[in-house]
Amino acid sequence: MRRFATLVLAATCACSLFVDTSGDQCKTDADCTQRGGPFTSAICAAGICTLDGAPCTTNQSCIDRLGAPAVCVRPKAACVPLLSQDCTKVIGDPANDDAVIVGALFSLSGTNQSSGTARMRSVEVAANDIKQNVPGIPVAASGKARPLVVLECDAAMDVGRAATHLATELHVPAIVGPEASGDVITVSAITIPAGTMIISPSATSTAITNLQDDGLVWRTAPSDAVQALALLDQVSQVEQKYRADNATPAGTSLSAAFLYLNDAYGLGLYNAVSSAATFNGKPFGDPANAGALLALQYDPKPADLAPEVAQTLAAKTRPALVVGLGSTEVVTKYLTPLEQGWGASTRPLYLFSDAVHKPELLAAAADDALRKRVRGTIPASPSSTAFNGFILKYVGAFGAAPQVFGMAGAYDAMFLMTYGIATAPRQPITGAALAAGFARLVSGSKLEVGGANLSTGFQILATSGGTFNLEGASGPLDFDVRTGEAPSNIDVWCIAKDGTGAPVFVSSGRFYDATRGQMSGTFDPVACLAQ
């Protein structure tokens, strides 16, 4: 359980509520009463020991008692603080007893701070868009409005602790995030028993598809089973480019290095690509390719990747292709020192997966020679009115919008939750109720996400059997309601220059077409300024 380090009520206080500030407080009432003293008549409510002599009746009464944002958690009528070590910002007014409180869980510190902050800001853009256009979310069959409140939490410090606060202490019906596949799997073990839904905008591991999740794990990002197809296509295309650029005949054997994160995301992509890719005209597993594949596995949150850099530089045959299947650390702790230590020999071409599509890579690509040797894959965000509208709102709120995968998906997730809440009965609003509501968002006439369309969507859902097909800023949200996943095109990106000469991610023209189930288009070196 989390620790309320800032909440201390003196024994002489004329308050009717006493909250223990120690960690791991309770699982049962007996855990509280056995403490004795002021806890003799305490109950365990949402993991917190609180006196049952003065149950709360309103959120405002809890705010008044605790002197901080708090809610009255039912059915035990216990005051629970909203803020915690990991959850430090509230968007909206929790004093309203009709408020629906949801969580947002992204990395706001550490290695992935830049991308996590962009996704969290996208949640804020959606929350503001909703607030500006409707007074609240209508209660099914009554018309009373429920304001939306978002509690922002940092996934980087202790994602399980943050999820516990949201799901088992506050009993929120849904959480947007977390972003990493491994974190989704970790958090789901907490949220599923609590009945809380999670909607990740960027977790792509194939392991998530088959989670026994009671319909409570959703994502606006596609499975890596699809992204792997685009990566496979590019392994062979990058090999061909290397041979052409360096006049290397087909009979000359090349080597490749795979740097991959030891979690559901990295392992899933590595296994899918390395087991099926063709290199030197043969599968990697063919005896003819013995020694051609350098596999470099690393654990999450590494202090550095110096051993992996050293292994790459010490390889008998320096790799012609380096594939990075991780996150920001692939750039900051591997790519940069690798390039610095490479020396005069012919440098490799790089192929990266979506989680390396980060501002840190653009910063590294200020080196023009490196920029021309980098490409990767990412679920495509189409140029649509919904996407363009989201970007305009983001820019209006925060300035230039970073090119981070999952931003549009985080914005979409907020609207999915909002419509799901609109279909739920007044109390309780549960993850299961939201999932049932999502089934009404995948058929009928198209309706784009965005605050301007909320009233129309609410009116449709207020009619018996009313449905519409929600079109997201991240693309069509044509969910398979059995898996909580939607198909997506996968774009092959490269790095060009904008009008100021700064590196910028652009589409290469090559992509996996989810509708046709095959690769389409041609990699355009002119558009990528690769020549």
Side-chain angles (χ1 to χ4, degrees), residues 22-99:
S22 65
D24 296 325
Q25 292 180 26
C26 61
K27 293 183 179 179
T28 67
D29 290 350
D31 293 336
C32 298
T33 57
Q34 68 185 7
R35 293 169 180 248
F39 297 99
T40 302
S41 59
I43 63 171
C44 182
I48 301 167
C49 293
T50 182
L51 289 185
D52 60 356
C56 57
T57 56
T58 66
N59 291 349
Q60 186 62 56
S61 68
C62 291
I63 295 170
D64 293 341
R65 291 175 183 178
L66 304 184
V71 291
C72 183
V73 174
R74 294 163 175 85
K76 287 194 174 182
C79 291
V80 179
L82 286 175
L83 303 182
S84 73
Q85 184 174 349
D86 308 289
C87 307
T88 58
K89 185 176 180 179
V90 180
I91 304 296
D93 180 16
N96 190 323
D97 291 318
D98 291 314

Side-chain angles (χ1 to χ4, degrees), residues 435-482:
F438 287 3
R440 300 176 62 185
L441 308 179
V442 295
S443 64
S445 59
K446 185 174 77 171
L447 186 72
E448 290 186 343
V449 298
N453 291 328
L454 280 170
S455 294
T456 299
F458 291 156
Q459 290 172 6
I460 294 172
L461 295 176
T463 63
S464 178
T467 66
F468 56 84
N469 191 345
L470 187 62
E471 183 84 3
S474 63
L477 299 173
D478 296 326
F479 286 106
D480 180 339
V481 295
R482 297 169 300 176

Side-chain angles (χ1 to χ4, degrees), residues 362 365-366 368 371 400-401 403 494-506 527-529:
L362 291 180
D368 209 46
R371 176 182 64 81
Q403 293 177 296
C494 53
I495 303 177
K497 288 183 176 181
D498 64 14
T500 69
V504 59
F505 292 115
V506 298
C528 294
L529 299 181

Side-chain angles (χ1 to χ4, degrees), residues 118 121-122 125-126 129 381-409 411-412 449-450 472-474:
R121 287 179 170 179
S122 301
V125 170
D129 196 7
S381 289
S383 179
S384 64
T385 55
F387 177 76
N388 295 335
F390 157 64
I391 292 297
L392 284 174
K393 293 165 188 170
Y394 190 103
V395 171
F398 299 106
Q403 293 177 296
V404 172
F405 168 54
M407 291 171 58
Y411 178 83
D412 290 345
V449 298
S474 63

Side-chain angles (χ1 to χ4, degrees), residues 105-187:
L105 184 57
F106 296 107
S107 295
L108 303 179
S109 60
T111 302
N112 295 314
Q113 179 179 3
S114 64
S115 54
T117 298
R119 292 167 184 139
M120 188 68 82
R121 287 179 170 179
S122 301
V123 167
E124 293 182 10
V125 170
N128 186 58
D129 196 7
I130 293 165
K131 181 180 179 180
Q132 287 185 341
N133 282 276
V134 293
I137 305 169
V139 178
S142 79
K144 188 174 183 179
R146 292 180 282 207
L148 190 64
V149 174
V150 182
L151 179 58
E152 297 186 2
C153 304
D154 187 358
M157 294 187 289
D158 188 328
V159 72
R161 181 178 63 195
T164 296
H165 180 51
L166 290 168
T168 68
E169 296 175 6
L170 292 170
H171 302 285
V172 301
I175 299 169
V176 181
E179 64 250 84
S181 296
D183 284 349
V184 166
I185 292 172
T186 296
V187 165

